[in-house]
Amino acid sequence: MKDKIQIGIACGTNCLGYLLLTMEAAIKTAKHPENLEFLLALNHQTEDIPGLRKAVNEFKKKDFCSSKITILDLRHPPAVEEFSSLAHGVTMNMLVENMTEKYGLLADVDMVITYKDWDEVFTNLIDDKVIIVGAASELQSKSKYDNFPTTYWALFDVEKYKSMNLDLRPLEQRTDITVNPQSKPINEEMVERLKFLGVQSPEQLASLVGKKVGDIIKFDTGFEVPIKIKLAGYEGIHFKSFGFQQSSFVRGVFHDRKGDPQEFRYQGDMCLTHLKASSIREYNGPSAQSWKELIKLHLKNKYGIILEA
């Protein structure tokens, strides 16, 4: 694979430990790690920026790190940073603007790749029709769109993705940043609000977001993705979510009530895992450490990959 992949990650609260784990796993499972570039976005929620820069510089010196790492200072006005969904959407928009290679990837800092040769396997799924591949909405996210890649982890054709002029900010916060994204039914009133995207009817909208008319949906961060891409005649391939209680590699129990981690599968094998709530889960805490050790055990047993993190 000669084409490069630029991986955009927003670095917020509690990010450093997760970031180093995510980057190491992505590099060591890739077939061509030299073709990866990490774009790390700093924002006002990033803690100890000098410490992060130092840790990333040390990471670059490791023998296994043949990937390029670029730190981008994308800090927003404080008024934006107060609202996590809005800030995340603005950061992702800016990350996409900075992507110049054939492929781009947006990923949460606590979304770890666990599939060998993922870079070659997943870019080979992208063609003239399929322009995006990635993790579907998680089991508990009943108000988000279904059966299409989300912004948790999405690999895409940069040129085609940019041609959509996607805005990844939540809908309500575009006009009033103090209003949190609302869950509302798919009906005529919602269609009227979304006519600027080209939506014509509740039935069409339901089809675009993988729901039924009358279902509740929240137009949160990244909600335009399936709508604009499908209306443009393109398609996406999604990896289905499974909870850890259904996991192929652990029967984990997490007691901090912030939600169980998720596993995503491609052709029956785990390809990604998402801890979730990393901004309020300390990396050195019991849940994050249990999750990390299970990832390390899985990669060692399945592929012989040893993580240092």
Side-chain angles (χ1 to χ4, degrees):
M1 188 188 84
K2 295 181 180 179
D3 292 309
K4 296 183 182 296
I5 303 173
Q6 291 176 302
I7 305 172
I9 301 175
C11 301
T13 308
N14 293 332
C15 74
L16 183 55
Y18 296 107
L19 175 65
L20 300 179
L21 170 65
T22 294
M23 290 197 298
E24 183 182 355
I27 291 168
K28 288 187 173 179
T29 54
K31 186 169 185 178
H32 300 286
E34 69 279 4
N35 289 338
L36 305 181
E37 178 185 4
F38 294 92
L39 303 178
L40 309 182
L42 304 180
N43 56 51
H44 280 291
Q45 295 175 342
T46 309
E47 298 171 328
D48 187 13
I49 290 177
L52 184 146
R53 291 184 183 276
K54 180 179 179 181
V56 169
N57 285 333
E58 289 300 315
F59 184 90
K60 290 179 180 179
K61 299 175 185 176
K62 292 183 178 291
D63 291 340
F64 64 80
C65 185
S66 57
S67 305
K68 183 178 179 181
I69 303 175
T70 302
I71 295 178
L72 303 173
D73 191 337
L74 304 182
R75 281 175 278 187
H76 322 305
V80 172
E81 291 292 347
E82 291 180 15
F83 303 94
S84 58
S85 291
L86 175 61
H88 194 47
V90 171
T91 298
M92 288 191 293
N93 283 343
M94 296 173 76
L95 280 168
V96 172
E97 289 175 8
N98 280 275
M99 292 178 177
T100 57
E101 298 293 348
K102 170 68 174 175
Y103 298 108
L105 197 166
L106 290 174
D108 280 5
V109 72
D110 59 342
M111 182 70 98
V112 175
I113 301 171
T114 58
Y115 198 87
K116 190 78 168 67
D117 299 339
W118 65 271
D119 51 332
E120 184 170 273
V121 172
F122 296 156
T123 54
N124 283 342
L125 298 175
I126 294 175
D127 56 26
D128 291 340
K129 189 72 172 175
V130 174
I131 69 166
I132 186 169
V133 175
S137 292
E138 297 174 335
L139 294 175
Q140 300 95 324
S141 303
K142 298 186 183 301
S143 63
K144 294 188 178 181
Y145 63 81
D146 288 332
N147 303 324
F148 205 81
T150 66
T151 52
Y152 300 139
W153 195 96
L155 173 69
F156 47 84
D157 180 307
V158 168
E159 182 178 1
K160 291 186 174 70
Y161 192 91
K162 284 187 172 183
S163 74
M164 304 289 105
N165 293 314
L166 288 156
D167 186 345
L168 301 175
R169 296 176 299 161
L171 180 61
E172 282 86 1
Q173 292 179 330
R174 297 179 187 184
T175 54
D176 183 352
I177 64 174
T178 66
V179 177
N180 288 322
Q182 304 293 310
S183 297
K184 295 184 178 180
I186 296 175
N187 54 24
E188 291 286 355
E189 180 183 351
M190 181 172 284
V191 168
E192 191 64 31
R193 296 182 67 199
L194 296 177
K195 280 195 172 177
F196 73 97
L197 295 177
V199 177
Q200 300 297 319
S201 69
E203 291 76 16
Q204 182 193 40
L205 176 58
S207 175
L208 291 170
V209 298
K211 300 285 189 182
K212 298 177 182 178
V213 174
D215 283 354
I216 300 297
I217 190 166
K218 180 188 295 184
F219 288 114
D220 204 344
T221 310
F223 78 90
E224 285 190 5
V225 171
I227 297 173
K228 280 192 171 181
I229 288 178
K230 289 181 180 180
L231 285 177
Y234 295 115
E235 297 175 358
I237 294 174
H238 66 278
F239 307 136
K240 188 176 178 181
S241 169
F242 295 82
F244 261 32
Q245 296 303 317
Q246 299 172 286
S247 174
S248 59
F249 77 112
V250 64
R251 294 292 184 267
V253 179
F254 289 76
H255 298 290
D256 59 11
R257 299 185 182 276
K258 297 183 178 71
D260 283 346
Q262 298 289 300
E263 166 187 323
F264 299 85
R265 297 179 194 167
Y266 173 67
Q267 294 188 342
D269 287 331
M270 182 172 70
C271 59
L272 298 161
T273 177
H274 191 194
L275 177 65
K276 302 189 307 177
S278 61
S279 64
I280 53 176
R281 273 177 160 155
E282 292 289 344
Y283 182 69
N284 291 324
S287 290
Q289 288 299 299
S290 295
W291 173 71
K292 180 189 76 171
E293 291 306 317
L294 292 165
I295 292 168
K296 293 173 70 173
L297 182 64
H298 172 74
L299 290 177
K300 178 181 178 181
N301 291 343
K302 189 167 183 67
Y303 301 119
I305 293 173
I306 306 298
L307 295 185
E308 298 178 11

